[in-house]
């Protein structure tokens, strides 16, 4: 068995190796070693007993990433094809222009505390042709800035991601906000 260390790409055997993780830290406890994990593709954080983890080889990582990219690109193509449908468009008639159609989308403001996922979200919004402003703001600062950002950008849609953690440090932080 390979010794698992910080930075390794792993999967959990008990979950059928469904999600790829990077080992962010290893903690020594009375029950043994626990790995703190962060999803490579999926936005998830977890922990696991070291014994439940298996190092994923580079070939499998590449294969999973190619599969993900194929699925995402297929979804983007389907979404763009649906937009060609008349119900997503409005006609613009003007004496200065020919009859043109414009896709109707709302303005999106997306706040995320994780730089990697902020960049990924921005990439996909742009690939879909959506009007999105993505801000990488640490989660503890978001309550302090969200009102100002809403006033500045006046979005139709607000997306706040990454608030899926529940720990003592977060509870202490939220008490000070």
């Amino acid at each position: 068995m390979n010794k698992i260390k910080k930075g390794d790409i792993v999967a959990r055997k008990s979950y059928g190796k469904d999600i790829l993780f990077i080992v962010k830290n290893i903690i020594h406890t009375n029950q043994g070693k626990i790995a703190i994990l962060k999803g490579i593709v999926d936005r998830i954080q977890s922990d696991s007993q070291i014994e439940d983890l298996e190092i994923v080889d580079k070939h499998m990582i590449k294969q999973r990433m190619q599969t993900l990219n194929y699925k995402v690109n297929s979804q983007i193509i389907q979404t763009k094809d649906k937009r060609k449908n008349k119900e997503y468009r409005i006609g613009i008639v003007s004496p200065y222009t020919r009859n043109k159609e414009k896709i109707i989308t709302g303005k999106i403001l997306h706040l995320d505390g994780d730089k990697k996922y902020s960049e990924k979200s921005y990439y996909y919004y742009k690939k879909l042709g959506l009007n999105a402003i993505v801000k990488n703001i640490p989660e503890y600062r978001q309550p302090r800035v969200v009102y100002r950002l809403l006033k500045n950008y006046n979005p139709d849609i607000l997306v706040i991601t990454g608030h899926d953690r529940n720990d003592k440090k977060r509870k202490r932080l939220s008490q000070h906000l």
Side-chain angles (χ1 to χ4, degrees):
M1 181 174 121
N2 294 333
K3 184 175 180 182
I4 294 173
K5 61 189 179 307
K6 184 176 178 178
D8 284 343
I9 306 296
V10 299
R12 299 176 294 184
K13 294 182 267 188
S14 63
Y15 284 83
K17 304 177 197 172
D18 60 343
I19 298 175
L20 298 181
F21 294 94
I22 186 166
V23 177
K24 297 303 283 181
N25 201 4
I26 296 178
I27 300 170
H28 299 271
T29 70
N30 294 337
Q31 291 80 28
K33 292 182 182 178
I34 305 269
I36 306 302
L37 308 170
K38 181 178 179 183
I40 299 286
V41 173
D42 303 288
R43 192 176 203 304
I44 183 173
Q45 288 188 346
S46 186
D47 58 39
S48 176
Q49 295 285 335
I50 290 286
E51 297 79 28
D52 188 36
L53 299 177
E54 184 175 299
I55 294 177
V56 179
D57 66 43
K58 290 180 182 181
H59 175 71
M60 180 177 271
I61 296 168
K62 184 178 178 181
Q63 185 180 20
R64 290 261 186 109
M65 296 307 286
Q66 286 174 339
T67 301
L68 171 72
N69 287 333
Y70 175 78
K71 286 180 181 178
V72 169
N73 286 328
S74 295
Q75 283 291 83
I76 289 170
I77 290 166
Q78 286 178 1
T79 300
K80 285 182 174 182
D81 287 346
K82 285 180 183 177
R83 284 190 187 161
K84 291 177 184 175
N85 187 338
K86 293 289 184 196
E87 61 193 68
Y88 286 93
R89 298 174 174 267
I90 58 171
I92 300 174
V93 179
S94 164
Y96 306 106
T97 63
R98 296 182 194 167
N99 287 345
K100 293 187 176 183
E101 292 182 339
K102 181 179 180 180
I103 295 172
I104 301 172
T105 61
K107 186 191 308 183
I108 301 165
L109 173 61
H110 185 153
L111 309 180
D112 196 311
D114 187 304
K115 185 175 173 101
K116 176 184 166 193
Y117 289 104
S118 296
E119 290 169 354
K120 187 187 289 188
S121 297
Y122 181 76
Y123 170 79
Y124 288 123
Y125 285 134
K126 290 303 166 201
K127 199 163 185 173
L128 283 164
L130 297 174
N131 182 10
I133 299 144
V134 180
K135 296 287 184 182
N136 175 235
I137 298 171
E139 293 174 7
Y140 72 91
R141 287 192 52 230
Q142 289 177 4
R144 296 180 190 145
V145 300
V146 70
Y147 181 74
R148 179 177 46 84
L149 292 171
L150 287 170
K151 283 189 74 156
N152 286 349
Y153 294 108
N154 193 27
D156 300 300
I157 301 166
L158 173 64
V159 178
I160 303 176
T161 53
H163 298 277
D164 52 356
R165 192 172 83 183
N166 188 11
D167 59 25
K168 291 178 185 176
K169 183 178 179 184
R170 171 168 303 281
K171 288 178 185 174
R172 285 194 304 269
L173 282 172
S174 65
Q175 291 170 351
H176 292 81
L177 298 178

